[in-house]
């Protein structure tokens, strides 16, 4: 006897709902996206009891007529696409025609809607069943009220985490949608209290301050670039506003917030030597791309996207971020900002090296002359704590961390040496066997050309007999190890990454000891070299090298001014 039967629509919707609606925040996401697709310019979200009691999303978009208002709750009913061509050219946030059906199958929904020139209607559903419909009075737009979420799916109800967790999810979701849509005015209320609001006037400075807190955009760096018809706009908050989590790096593609590891990583790499280890920036990257180069239909919640050439995009984003940060000339952190923001330095362990290292191997003189001097003219006053060099000029007082400064200088020296890899090599007086496992030796043999390009040479029995002139004997092992690690991880040597790792590792092998007394000549040499660094403001780990206390700040400390 046959046992397979066709499910009814309502049961199918309930099952499918699990993928679209897994918590209150995902209901709000779907409703806000529908409002945006309906060309709303104002969207307001009201949440009661963290969404478990009720969620109301009100928009002033195009609205629906009576037939559509009811039809909108059928599964696979959408006004947004009609054929395969449309599916590969998605211009809207929604297109699957399942969100309202899914929401209605696990809650009680009342939808009211009115088009510009027409009457208002309402329609209501409970647990996927149509309940009633009729005329309603409202302004142009749509109001969707979702109550008693998961009332008929107790297992899902139990899965909901703490109130706080839901609150964080809702605010997070609201923030991203608001950040993705600078021209729409959004407001979020929780239990009747206004939590957040944006103005929708297209001003990213205002928008970001509204979302992240006032004055967060101080020092924000913005870039607008286009590559191969892909527009990439970056809003990079100052590196001094460091976060412990990556989640404030937001990537938007055609107005949709997406989760994409490679692109987030590209932003992190771009900020790399400006941030402390283990810290992450706040940054928004808006990408506008021909929809036919994307596949949004990867997951019902549409947070994932498949790109053609994702890695190339990542490469460009990394270099745009890096370039934008490097071009910023006013990176000296102000002392009071540091204290206010409690920059954490606990992850930082200075490794010490001798000072004479800094004096050798500087950036070539011809290039040094053409480099911009990024630090102000200052005169030396003295040293505090054997570590902080004190300078002054008419603007105020500057403290330079001699250790961090020396590390930066060494880092850039090596980064420079490694970015212009001359093939100049020197023969070693004594060949050296390599202290490597068989596997590592095999790797090395496999990539001999890359090692040769860097200036290493090996005898037939894999003894090292040549090394690049820019490397010093005691650094050979670090360099080889870094290459091998990279080979093991990626199976190829990414020269750019290798350069960076090497420069960091080597420069880290020491800096002027924190409390080593320097002669005036040594201080002058150090400052001269710091002056021409590409980024003289931070050590390679992102700690500040130089901090400024303005004349005004000092006068204020002594209450001479208010
Ligand atoms: N706020 C709204 N204003 C105007 N029309 C709406 C609104 N919300 C929904 N609709 C209409 O109802 C239809 C169904 O909405 P639903 O969210 O279920 O599917 P979708 O947005 O088309 O696709 P997806 O399931 O990917 O969200 C939409 O295509 C749209 O025509
Ligand atoms: Mg939708």
């Amino acid at each position: 006897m046959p046992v397979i039967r066709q499910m009814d629509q309502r049961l199918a919707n309930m099952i499918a709902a699990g993928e679209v609606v897994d918590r209150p925040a995902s209901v709000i996401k779907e409703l806000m996206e529908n409002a945006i697709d309906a060309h709303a310019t104002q969207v307001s979200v009201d949440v009661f009891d963290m969404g478990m009691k009720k969620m109301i999303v009100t928009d002033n978009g195009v609205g629906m007529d009576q037939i559509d208002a009811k039809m909108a709750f059928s599964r696979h009913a959408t006004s947004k696409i009609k054929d395969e061509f449309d599916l590969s050219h998605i211009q809207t946030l929604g297109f699957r025609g399942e969100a309202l059906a899914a929401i209605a199958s696990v809650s009680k929904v009342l939808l009211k809607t009115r088009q510009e020139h027409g009457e208002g209607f309402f329609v209501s559903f409970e647990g996927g069943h149509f309940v009633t419909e009729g005329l309603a009075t409202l302004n142009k737009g749509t109001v969707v009220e979702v109550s008693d979420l998961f009332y008929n799916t107790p297992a899902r109800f139990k899965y909901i985490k703490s109130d706080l967790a839901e609150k964080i999810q809702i605010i997070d979701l609201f923030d991203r949608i608001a950040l993705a849509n600078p021209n729409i005015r959004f407001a979020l209320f929780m239990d009747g209290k206004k939590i957040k609001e944006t103005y929708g006037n297209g001003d990213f400075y205002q928008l970001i301050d509204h979302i992240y807190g006032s004055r967060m955009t101080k020092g924000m760096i913005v870039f607008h670039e286009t590559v191969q018809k892909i527009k990439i706009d970056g809003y990079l908050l100052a590196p001094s506003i460091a976060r412990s989590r990556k989640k404030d790096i937001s990537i938007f593609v055609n107005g949709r917030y997406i989760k994409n590891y490679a692109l987030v990583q590209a932003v992190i790499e771009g900020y790399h030597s400006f941030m402390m280890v283990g810290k992450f920036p706040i940054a928004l990257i808006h990408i506008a791309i021909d929809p036919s180069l994307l596949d949004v239909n990867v997951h019902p919640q549409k947070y994932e996207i498949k790109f053609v050439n994702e890695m190339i995009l990542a490469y460009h984003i990394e270099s745009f971020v890096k370039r934008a940060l490097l071009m910023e000339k006013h990176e000296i952190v102000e002392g009071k900002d540091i204290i206010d923001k409690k920059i954490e330095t606990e992850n930082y362990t200075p490794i010490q090296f001798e000072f004479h290292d800094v004096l050798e191997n500087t950036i070539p003189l011809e290039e040094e002359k053409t480099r911009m001097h990024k630090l102000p003219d200052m005169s030396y006053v003295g040293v505090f704590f054997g570590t902080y060099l004190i300078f002054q000029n008419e603007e105020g007082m500057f403290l330079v961390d001699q250790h961090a400064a020396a590390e930066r200088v060494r880092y850039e020296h090596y980064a420079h040496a490694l970015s212009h890899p001359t093939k100049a090599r020197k023969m070693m007086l004594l060949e050296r066997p390599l202290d490597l496992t068989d596997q590592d030796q095999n790797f090395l043999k496999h990539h001999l050309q890359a090692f040769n390009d860097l200036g290493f040479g090996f005898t037939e029995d894999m003894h090292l007999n040549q090394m690049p002139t820019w490397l010093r004997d005691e650094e050979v092992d670090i360099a080889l190890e870094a290459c091998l690690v990279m080979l093991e991880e990626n199976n190829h040597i990414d020269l750019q990454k290798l350069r960076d790792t090497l420069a960091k590792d080597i420069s880290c092998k020491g800096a002027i000891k924190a409390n080593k007394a320097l002669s005036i000549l040594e201080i002058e040499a150090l400052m001269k070299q710091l002056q021409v660094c590409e980024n003289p403001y931070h050590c390679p780990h992102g700690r500040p090298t130089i901090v400024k206390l303005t004349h005004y700040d000092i006068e204020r400390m002594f209450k001479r001014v208010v």
Side-chain angles (χ1 to χ4, degrees):
M1 198 178 82
V3 288
I4 301 177
R5 62 177 80 86
Q6 192 74 43
M7 281 183 194
D8 71 37
Q9 264 276 342
R10 207 176 64 86
L11 184 59
N13 286 349
M14 258 172 107
I15 292 172
E19 290 182 316
V20 185
V21 183
D22 56 358
R23 61 194 325 163
S26 45
V27 173
I28 298 172
K29 170 181 181 287
E30 294 301 334
L31 299 182
M32 287 178 81
E33 289 189 348
N34 280 347
I36 295 164
D37 284 345
H39 310 293
T41 56
Q42 289 184 24
V43 179
S44 138
V45 181
D46 277 83
V47 176
F48 297 91
D49 199 9
M50 298 311 154
M52 294 314 293
K53 195 165 157 206
K54 192 179 281 208
M55 294 166 272
I56 308 171
V57 175
T58 308
D59 70 56
N60 65 350
V62 294
M64 286 172 269
D65 66 15
Q66 188 171 15
I67 295 173
D68 277 354
K70 199 168 167 192
M71 178 74 172
F73 288 88
S74 305
R75 185 126 178 260
H76 308 308
T78 182
S79 57
K80 299 173 191 174
I81 58 171
K82 54 183 184 316
D83 54 27
E84 273 176 55
F85 177 85
D86 289 351
L87 182 59
S88 55
H89 294 80
I90 298 288
Q91 313 267 9
T92 47
L93 296 169
F95 56 89
R96 299 170 58 106
E98 62 185 1
L100 285 181
I103 294 168
S105 73
V106 291
S107 67
K108 301 170 185 169
V109 181
L110 169 66
L111 179 146
K112 292 189 256 177
T113 188
R114 186 166 84 79
Q115 292 178 316
E116 174 117 49
H117 306 289
E119 283 182 302
F121 304 99
F122 79 89
V123 50
S124 69
F125 281 80
E126 260 180 43
H129 291 289
F130 167 74
V131 180
T132 168
E133 64 182 321
L135 291 177
T137 320
L138 75 158
N139 292 331
K140 177 200 149 214
T142 303
V143 183
V144 185
E145 243 183 77
V146 176
S147 314
D148 300 334
L149 181 65
F150 302 138
Y151 80 100
N152 56 345
T153 53
R156 177 69 61 170
F157 189 84
K158 276 201 203 110
Y159 170 79
I160 295 298
K161 300 212 182 85
S162 69
D163 279 1
L164 182 65
E166 293 313 312
K167 183 173 180 178
I168 291 173
Q169 289 286 332
I170 292 170
I171 295 181
D172 225 50
L173 174 272
F174 176 88
D175 287 354
R176 309 258 197 222
I177 293 190
L179 290 169
N181 296 281
N183 294 309
I184 300 178
R185 189 176 183 130
F186 293 97
L188 171 65
F189 297 83
M190 285 182 154
D191 299 314
K193 200 170 137 221
K194 191 190 282 172
I195 304 285
K196 289 207 176 173
E197 180 180 35
T198 67
Y199 288 171
N201 60 3
D203 179 338
F204 269 98
Y205 282 82
Q206 258 187 21
L207 174 63
I208 292 169
D209 279 344
H210 278 127
I211 295 297
Y212 285 112
S214 68
R215 297 184 68 239
M216 289 299 259
T217 49
K218 188 169 172 238
M220 178 165 90
I221 300 159
V222 179
F223 69 79
H224 305 287
E225 304 276 357
T226 306
V227 267
Q228 294 165 14
K229 297 198 185 149
I230 304 174
K231 255 183 99 240
I232 305 175
D233 298 320
Y235 301 87
L236 312 173
L237 274 68
S240 54
I241 309 172
R243 299 275 171 131
S244 306
R245 291 185 300 176
K246 297 181 191 176
K247 81 179 182 66
D248 291 318
I249 301 171
S250 305
I251 312 284
F252 303 97
V253 177
N254 296 347
R256 181 194 307 279
Y257 166 70
I258 60 153
K259 295 181 179 166
N260 184 298
Y261 178 81
L263 301 189
V264 166
Q265 213 50 36
V267 176
I268 295 174
E269 291 293 333
Y271 265 91
H272 189 49
S273 66
F274 297 87
M275 300 297 294
M276 267 175 286
V277 178
K279 293 288 164 201
F280 303 97
I282 301 182
L284 317 184
I285 304 291
H286 275 266
I287 301 168
I289 185 169
D290 179 342
S292 65
L293 301 174
L294 300 173
D295 183 0
V296 192
N297 194 18
V298 181
H299 185 271
Q301 293 193 349
K302 315 177 192 87
Y303 280 126
E304 281 168 50
I305 279 192
K306 284 207 163 52
F307 288 96
V308 176
N309 280 345
E310 174 179 291
M311 291 327 285
I312 294 181
L313 196 56
Y315 167 81
H316 285 299
I317 289 178
E318 179 180 333
S319 43
F320 293 150
V321 170
K322 199 175 208 160
R323 199 166 70 196
L325 291 170
L326 278 175
M327 271 162 35
E328 180 57 31
K329 297 181 201 70
H330 309 290
E331 272 287 329
I332 297 183
V333 199
E334 298 207 359
K336 62 176 186 337
D337 284 357
I338 295 198
I339 296 159
D340 286 352
K341 288 190 188 121
K342 292 205 179 44
I343 287 190
E344 296 156 45
T345 52
E346 75 274 24
N347 292 330
Y348 181 75
T349 358
I351 305 168
Q352 303 183 338
F353 78 137
E354 291 300 319
F355 184 66
H356 65 262
D357 296 337
V358 177
L359 296 177
E360 309 166 351
N361 295 327
T362 50
I363 294 161
L365 203 62
E366 334 73 78
E367 187 172 334
E368 187 178 310
K369 280 194 204 127
T370 58
R371 288 243 183 139
M372 198 167 25
H373 283 213
K374 291 181 177 166
L375 298 179
D377 285 335
M378 331 176 271
S379 51
Y380 179 64
V381 177
V383 60
F384 171 65
F385 232 58
T387 302
Y388 304 101
L389 310 175
I390 307 169
F391 296 85
Q392 68 173 0
N393 67 15
E394 62 289 348
E395 285 174 48
M397 181 169 109
F398 299 82
L399 291 172
V400 173
D401 176 338
Q402 63 182 39
H403 172 87
E407 236 186 56
R408 164 54 62 180
V409 168
R410 277 179 68 87
Y411 170 76
E412 290 210 6
H413 159 67
Y414 281 107
H416 184 269
L418 292 164
S419 65
H420 301 74
T422 64
K423 291 216 178 151
R425 54 188 70 208
K426 55 190 177 196
M427 294 300 291
M428 297 175 61
L429 286 178
L430 292 173
E431 296 177 6
R432 268 181 53 182
L434 299 172
D435 189 15
L436 298 177
T437 62
D438 287 352
Q439 197 195 9
D440 283 346
Q441 287 226 8
N442 279 339
F443 264 130
L444 201 153
K445 278 186 196 155
H446 204 77
H447 296 273
L448 219 47
Q449 190 55 46
F451 281 92
N452 276 326
D453 289 347
L454 283 173
F456 292 102
F458 303 92
T459 61
E460 276 193 357
D461 49 356
M462 292 308 283
H463 285 201
L464 186 71
N465 65 356
Q466 288 176 6
M467 56 182 272
T469 47
W470 48 262
L471 201 64
R472 295 176 321 158
D473 292 6
E474 54 271 41
E475 283 148 6
V476 168
D477 289 323
I478 304 177
L480 286 173
E481 198 186 309
C483 295
L484 285 167
V485 168
M486 199 160 263
L487 284 173
E488 274 165 15
E489 282 175 359
N490 307 327
N491 214 22
H492 76 283
I493 296 184
D494 175 338
L495 257 183
Q496 202 184 341
K497 286 232 163 65
L498 174 69
R499 286 200 285 263
D500 198 62
T501 314
L502 272 187
K504 238 177 182 175
D505 282 3
I506 297 171
S507 68
C508 218
K509 284 298 157 202
I512 301 165
K513 286 188 179 117
N515 50 10
K516 177 178 162 34
L518 303 183
S519 70
I520 289 287
L521 273 181
E522 287 172 325
I523 292 168
E524 271 176 11
L526 175 66
M527 292 310 289
K528 209 172 125 216
Q529 291 170 47
L530 186 65
Q531 182 66 271
V532 293
C533 280
E534 279 199 328
N535 172 5
Y537 315 110
H538 299 94
C539 80
H541 306 85
R543 278 197 322 145
T545 53
I546 180 164
V547 163
K548 172 178 170 183
L549 279 173
T550 64
H551 193 204
Y552 177 75
D553 292 335
I554 293 170
E555 298 236 281
R556 232 172 45 163
M557 283 183 212
F558 289 99
K559 309 258 183 257
R560 283 171 172 272
V561 291
V562 281

